[in-house]
Amino acid sequence: MKLKSLGTALTTAALIATALTGTVATAGTAAAATQPDCSSALTNVKPKATVNLRSQPKTSSTALGTWGKGQKGGICFGGSKPVTGGSYTACGKSSNKWYFGGPNSTSVEGWVPATCLPI
């Protein structure tokens, strides 16, 4: 997984957006949802079902890829708590808690419903 490269990618995207639009994004815009605390990671996590990796912690956001049922991966685990986001029903439960991560087999990472992870 490339969790540490997320900050660099987001900074680059923000600089490009500033150059194209002439405006500066503020820290409160979407930084809390797009920059999880990845100071530590939980590895060898296997989802209970195939899940979409989302660009934001809500089901209406863009699906960046999938993480297959039983496929090993990792999630950001700084603070040991999931992020509160949009409400959903997944893997037989309703919640609004999300983790950031993805499968080991790809470099695609995104927000995953916490109810589908055995944590």
Side-chain angles (χ1 to χ4, degrees), residues 45-112:
V45 176
K46 298 178 183 179
K48 299 173 191 176
T50 297
V51 293
N52 286 320
L53 301 167
R54 301 276 179 188
S55 60
Q56 296 290 318
K58 57 186 178 179
T59 58
S60 61
S61 67
T62 303
L64 304 172
T66 59
W67 186 355
K69 177 182 178 179
Q71 185 179 15
K72 287 183 182 180
I75 60 166
C76 292
F77 212 62
S80 302
K81 294 183 181 180
V83 168
T84 300
S87 298
Y88 60 84
T89 299
C91 297
K93 296 182 181 178
S94 296
S95 181
N96 65 348
K97 304 298 182 189
W98 298 77
Y99 282 108
F100 187 85
N104 292 339
S105 62
T106 70
S107 61
V108 177
E109 299 165 335
W111 293 97
V112 180

Side-chain angles (χ1 to χ4, degrees), residues 17-33:
T18 300
L20 293 175
T21 64
T23 60
V24 177
T26 61
T29 306

Side-chain angles (χ1 to χ4, degrees), residues 21-40:
T21 64
T23 60
V24 177
T26 61
T29 306
T34 57
Q35 291 186 321
D37 179 4
C38 293
S39 59
S40 62

